[in-house]
């Protein structure tokens, strides 16, 4: 099986797919910019995955099924999405937001290709920054009284599982999707991440995180690594030069603001509802 993945590892849904590929030991190629066919159909929406040269797909749970994992039921999927509450906080600090994206550089082997993609991929966090900002303005940033509550479903799930993982003796779709949410929160630490570190109600979930760390200790996109036992290294950072290329692309987008903002609006309308 040959798999190509488009997406940034700050996305929980991209993370779920990459974790699934790692768990199955499936060789894959990651690209940080979307293929033209994906760009035309869905804009910069991620992940997009092509298996054995087949059509690109964007639904992470369905992609995991194609990789050999059992489907996740709708109730559990709602609980996964619920654990993503607070994502709008990612842009509270623009500097931290863009710095985080600069660090997860393109991994192409050829220097010229890697540099070009790092320049072009600056549009993705630029797009996300304005989409999140618009959501904050349009919907208001509704704060729960307690971010820890969004994980209590899974704390109870862990208690009932009586196994290292939510799906049993090996990670399943629930594990991969929820762990993907954790990686997203850890990539740019924000208020929803704090309960995972310190909330006394979530001790079982931290035990599950330890089991996931052991299972994925050789996984190269582990943003939670420095935060939970057993402690593991954070993902490799792009070189200073490649980060500079990314920032040049980002600066160009701000300089060309009258052009790039309409592009954001255009691609936002292409994204799935």
């Amino acid at each position: 099986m040959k798999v190509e993945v488009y997406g940034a590892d700050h996305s929980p849904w991209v993370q779920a797919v990459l974790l699934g590929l790692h768990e199955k030991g499936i060789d894959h190629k990651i690209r940080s910019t979307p293929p033209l066919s994906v760009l035309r159909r869905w804009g910069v929406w991620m992940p997009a995955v092509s298996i054995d040269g087949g059509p690109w797909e964007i639904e992470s749970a369905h992609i995991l099924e194609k990789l050999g994992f059992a489907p996740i039921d709708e109730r559990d999927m709602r609980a996964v999405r619920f654990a993503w509450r607070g994502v709008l906080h990612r842009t509270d600090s623009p500097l931290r937001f863009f710095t985080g994206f600069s660090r997860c550089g393109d991994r192409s082997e050829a220097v010229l290709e890697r540099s070009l993609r790092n320049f072009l991929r600056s549009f993705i966090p630029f797009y996300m920054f304005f989409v999140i900002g618009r959501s904050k303005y349009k919907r208001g940033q509704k704060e729960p009284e307690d971010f820890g509550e969004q994980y209590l479903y899974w704390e109870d799930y862990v208690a009932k599982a009586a196994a290292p993982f939510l799906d049993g003796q090996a990670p399943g779709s629930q594990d991969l999707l929820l762990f993907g949410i954790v990686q997203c929160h850890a990539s740019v630490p924000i208020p929803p991440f704090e309960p995972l570190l310190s909330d006394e109600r979530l001790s079982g979930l931290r035990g599950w995180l330890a089991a996931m760390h052991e299972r994925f200790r050789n996984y190269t996109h582990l943003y939670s690594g420095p935060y939970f036992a057993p402690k593991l290294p954070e993902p490799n950072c792009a070189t200073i030069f490649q980060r500079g290329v990314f920032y040049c692309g980002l600066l160009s987008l701000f300089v060309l603001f009258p052009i790039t903002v309409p592009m954001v609006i255009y691609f936002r309308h292409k994204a799935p509802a």
Side-chain angles (χ1 to χ4, degrees):
M1 181 182 287
K2 295 182 179 179
V3 179
E4 186 171 11
V5 181
Y6 150 65
D9 62 10
H10 279 219
S11 161
W13 321 119
V14 173
Q15 280 279 357
V17 170
L18 295 178
L19 287 160
L21 289 165
H22 181 88
E23 173 67 15
K24 294 292 186 181
I26 298 172
D27 189 34
H28 58 280
K29 177 182 177 183
I30 306 172
R31 55 180 299 154
S32 60
T33 55
L36 283 176
S37 58
V38 171
L39 191 65
R40 291 191 193 103
R41 186 172 181 183
W42 297 298
V44 297
W45 187 270
M46 61 180 72
V49 173
S50 173
I51 299 175
D52 291 332
W56 291 88
E57 299 184 51
I58 60 170
E59 176 50 55
S60 54
H62 181 61
I63 293 165
L64 289 175
E65 288 183 50
K66 287 204 164 186
L67 296 180
F69 294 93
I72 182 171
D73 67 39
E74 185 54 36
R75 184 185 180 197
D76 287 350
M77 193 67 219
R78 284 196 301 269
V80 167
R81 295 191 186 102
F82 191 61
W84 202 32
R85 284 196 309 171
V87 67
L88 297 184
H89 278 289
R90 285 177 67 83
T91 59
D92 287 355
S93 169
L95 178 60
R96 188 166 58 176
F97 178 77
F98 289 116
T99 297
F101 271 94
S102 75
R103 293 171 62 86
C104 59
D106 185 83
R107 301 190 178 197
S108 303
E109 293 183 4
V111 175
L112 184 60
E113 181 181 6
R114 186 163 68 248
S115 300
L116 178 61
R117 287 189 174 176
N118 276 322
F119 184 88
L120 294 175
R121 77 180 180 87
S122 61
F123 179 76
I124 295 169
F126 179 87
Y127 165 90
M128 292 173 63
F129 185 83
F130 282 96
V131 169
I132 290 174
R134 182 176 179 273
S135 295
K136 285 182 178 180
Y137 175 78
K138 187 175 180 180
R139 304 175 190 173
Q141 189 160 318
K142 298 178 181 178
E143 293 292 322
E145 293 182 4
D146 178 2
F147 276 115
E149 289 182 354
Q150 67 196 53
Y151 306 110
L152 292 180
Y153 176 93
W154 295 109
E155 177 69 18
D156 186 54
Y157 205 110
V158 167
K160 293 176 181 177
F165 305 103
L166 302 173
D167 200 48
Q169 295 302 317
S173 292
Q174 298 97 321
D175 297 275
L176 303 175
L177 289 160
L178 183 61
F179 201 49
I181 295 287
V182 174
Q183 300 316 307
C184 174
H185 286 329
S187 65
V188 179
I190 52 177
F193 189 56
E194 293 301 320
L196 291 171
L197 297 170
S198 58
D199 194 319
E200 294 180 358
R201 298 170 297 175
L202 304 179
S203 59
L205 202 54
R206 283 189 284 277
W208 167 79
L209 285 166
M212 291 295 283
H213 272 207
E214 286 287 357
R215 187 78 171 198
F216 291 96
R217 61 170 48 252
N218 296 319
Y219 177 68
T220 57
H221 306 273
L222 202 65
Y223 286 100
S224 63
Y227 296 100
F228 301 101
K231 299 288 182 72
L232 297 169
E234 60 184 350
N236 291 333
C237 181
T239 65
I240 293 175
F241 174 75
Q242 292 297 338
R243 292 170 69 182
V245 170
F246 168 87
Y247 281 120
C248 285
L250 190 62
L251 179 62
S252 300
L253 294 170
F254 279 102
V255 169
L256 298 172
F257 205 76
I259 298 172
T260 52
V261 169
M263 287 174 60
V264 168
I265 296 169
Y266 173 75
F267 286 122
R268 179 68 186 89
H269 284 299
K270 282 189 169 291

